[in-house]
Structure formats: structure tokens, C-alpha cells
């Protein structure tokens, strides 16, 4: 009897163990499924987050490349303008050294002649104020004094120098025309416009070349400004 009861108890224990094992396996499979689902959701969420971040990083890289390219282009353009301006200044300084010496000599001569003229005019005024009663003799004396002034070119020389001074311009320096800068002058020279006369009185062919600069500020006034220099 004892053996039969032990066998029954053993069979009951085995059933319980089997049932518990089944429950454990079932629970384990459920937990594993939940973990797998959670991992899938996590991967999906990570992809959803990473894709906008990658897109944003690509846009930032593209923007940085565009800005760097634009910066380098602007830098090259500014350096080119600076180089053109430097060449123009050097050319004008080279001309100014020769023209400055001749202009200084002319100014000194004109100043000396003007001083003589002022002295003579002062003498005439003093004579007139000293003898107001003698109007006719004063007028008679004024006439012979006017002759040496004409012989010595006291008055004529300064006027001639004054009229010639504005015409002594470098007609090949396009920057003398108001509204034309060094960079624009370089482009105009490359196009075949090398003289102020071509701007003031352009031919039909030169007018076509000048039309390429019609959008420049003050273009409509270039011709009148150039004529003032001639």
C-alpha cells in the first residue's frame, strides 16, 4: 500500500512540475515576445529620430559649403578690385611726379607775375587817393603804366596759365570722369574705351560698347562730365 501511495504522490508531483514548467515556458515566451516588441518599437523610434537629425546635418553641411563658396568668391572679387585700384594709384602717382614738377614751376611763375601786378595796382590806387583833385593827370599817368604791364605779360600770363591748367588732364585716365571708379575704368579699357574723348563724343561703335555699362550708377551723366574735362 505504501508503495502505491508513493507512486501516486510521485505522479502528482510530476504533474505539478510539468504544469509549472509549462506555465514558466508560456510566461517566458510572453516576456520574450514583449521584449522583442519593445526592441522593435525602440528601433522604429530611433530611426524616426535619427532621420530628421541626419537631414538637418546634411542641410547644415550644404549651407556651410554655400556660404564658404560665396565668401571665397566675394574675397576674390574684392582682392581683384583692390589690385586694380592699387595699379591705378601707382600709375597716377607715376604721372603725378612728372606733372607735379612742371605744375609747381608754372605756379611759382604765375605767383611772381601776380605779385607784380598787385604791386602795380596798389601804386595806381595810392596815386589816385593821394591826388583826388587831379583826375585827368592821374588818368594820363595810368595809360603809360599799363604798357609795361602788357610788355612784361604781368596780367596776360596768369590768365593764360589759368585757362590752360584745366585742359592739362590725362585723357587716358577714365577715373577723372565723375562716376567712374578704378574697377569700372579697367573694364572699359578692356572693352576698348581708353580715352575720355570716347566717352564725351563716342562714335556709333563706341556707343555700343558704352551700352554695356548702362546699368552703372550715373551712366547718363558720364558724357557731360567727360566734356567738362576736355
Amino acid at each position: 500500500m505504501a508503495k502505491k501511495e508513493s507512486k501516486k504522490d510521485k505522479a502528482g508531483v510530476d504533474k505539478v512540475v510539468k504544469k509549472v514548467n509549462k506555465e514558466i515556458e508560456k510566461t517566458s515566451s510572453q516576456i520574450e515576445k514583449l521584449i522583442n516588441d519593445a526592441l522593435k518599437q525602440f528601433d522604429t523610434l530611433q530611426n524616426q529620430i535619427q532621420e530628421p537629425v541626419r537631414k538637418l546635418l546634411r542641410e547644415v553641411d550644404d549651407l556651410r559649403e554655400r556660404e564658404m563658396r560665396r565668401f571665397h568668391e566675394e574675397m576674390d572679387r574684392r582682392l581683384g578690385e583692390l589690385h586694380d585700384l592699387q595699379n591705378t594709384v601707382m600709375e597716377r602717382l607715376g604721372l603725378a611726379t612728372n606733372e607735379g614738377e612742371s605744375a609747381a614751376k608754372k605756379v611759382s611763375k604765375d605767383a611772381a607775375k601776380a605779385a607784380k601786378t598787385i604791386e602795380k595796382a596798389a601804386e595806381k590806387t595810392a596815386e589816385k587817393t593821394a591826388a583826388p583833385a587831379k583826375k585827368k593827370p592821374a588818368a594820363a599817368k595810368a595809360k603809360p603804366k599799363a604798357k609795361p604791364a602788357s610788355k612784361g605779360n604781368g596780367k596776360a600770363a596768369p590768365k593764360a596759365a589759368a585757362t590752360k591748367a584745366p585742359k592739362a588732364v590725362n585723357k587716358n585716365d577714365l577715373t577723372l570722369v565723375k562716376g567712374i571708379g578704378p574697377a569700372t575704368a579697367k573694364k572699359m579699357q578692356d572693352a576698348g574705351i581708353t580715352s575720355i574723348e570716347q566717352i564725351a563724343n563716342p562714335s556709333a561703335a563706341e556707343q555700343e560698347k558704352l551700352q554695356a555699362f548702362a546699368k552703372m550708377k550715373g551712366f547718363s551723366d558720364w558724357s557731360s562730365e567727360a566734356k567738362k574735362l576736355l
Side-chain angles (χ1 to χ4, degrees):
M1 292 291 291
K3 288 182 179 180
K4 288 181 179 180
E5 289 179 358
S6 63
K7 287 181 179 180
K8 288 181 181 179
D9 293 337
K10 188 177 180 181
V13 171
D14 290 340
K15 287 181 180 180
V16 171
V17 171
K18 287 180 180 179
K19 188 176 181 179
V20 170
N21 289 334
K22 286 182 179 180
E23 291 295 328
I24 291 172
E25 289 177 359
K26 185 178 179 181
T27 303
S28 298
S29 63
Q30 289 177 353
I31 292 172
E32 186 177 358
K33 184 179 180 182
L34 289 173
I35 292 172
N36 290 331
D37 292 340
L39 290 173
K40 288 180 181 178
Q41 291 178 0
F42 179 75
D43 291 338
T44 303
L45 182 61
Q46 188 177 14
N47 290 330
Q48 290 176 353
I49 294 173
Q50 287 180 350
E51 185 59 29
V53 172
R54 291 194 190 98
K55 184 178 180 181
L56 180 61
L57 290 175
R58 286 196 297 269
E59 291 177 354
V60 170
D61 291 337
D62 293 340
L63 179 61
R64 182 176 60 185
E65 289 179 1
R66 288 197 301 270
E67 289 299 320
M68 289 299 294
R69 192 182 308 113
R70 187 179 66 83
F71 174 77
H72 286 302
E73 290 175 355
E74 184 68 15
M75 180 66 73
D76 293 338
R77 186 179 68 81
R78 293 291 178 89
L79 288 174
E81 291 181 355
L82 181 61
H83 183 67
D84 294 340
L85 178 61
Q86 183 180 7
N87 291 336
T88 303
V89 170
M90 294 301 292
E91 290 176 359
R92 294 185 67 178
L93 287 175
L95 293 173
T97 54
N98 296 329
E99 294 177 356
E101 294 177 357
S102 58
K105 292 179 180 178
K106 288 182 179 179
V107 170
S108 61
K109 290 180 180 179
D110 294 341
K113 292 177 181 178
K116 292 180 180 179
T117 305
I118 292 170
E119 289 178 0
K120 291 178 180 179
E123 290 176 359
K124 291 179 183 179
T125 305
E127 290 177 358
K128 288 180 180 180
T129 54
K134 299 178 180 179
K135 293 181 180 179
K136 292 181 180 180
K141 290 180 180 179
K143 290 180 180 179
K145 287 185 178 179
K147 291 180 180 180
S150 61
K151 291 179 181 179
N153 295 328
K155 292 182 180 179
K159 289 182 179 179
T163 54
K164 290 180 180 179
K167 291 184 179 180
V169 297
N170 184 8
K171 295 182 180 180
N172 295 327
D173 188 359
L174 303 182
T175 58
L176 296 177
V177 179
K178 185 177 180 181
I180 299 178
T184 305
K186 180 68 167 57
K187 293 178 181 179
M188 293 176 71
Q189 289 173 350
D190 294 338
I193 305 299
T194 59
S195 174
I196 295 175
E197 292 180 350
Q198 292 177 288
I199 301 173
N201 302 303
S203 62
E206 290 167 351
Q207 287 179 357
E208 292 181 1
K209 293 179 181 179
L210 288 171
Q211 283 302 314
F213 304 91
K215 294 182 179 180
M216 299 295 294
K217 185 177 180 181
F219 173 79
S220 58
D221 299 328
W222 286 2
S223 179
S224 60
E225 293 294 334
K227 289 178 180 179
K228 292 178 182 179
L229 299 172
L230 299 177

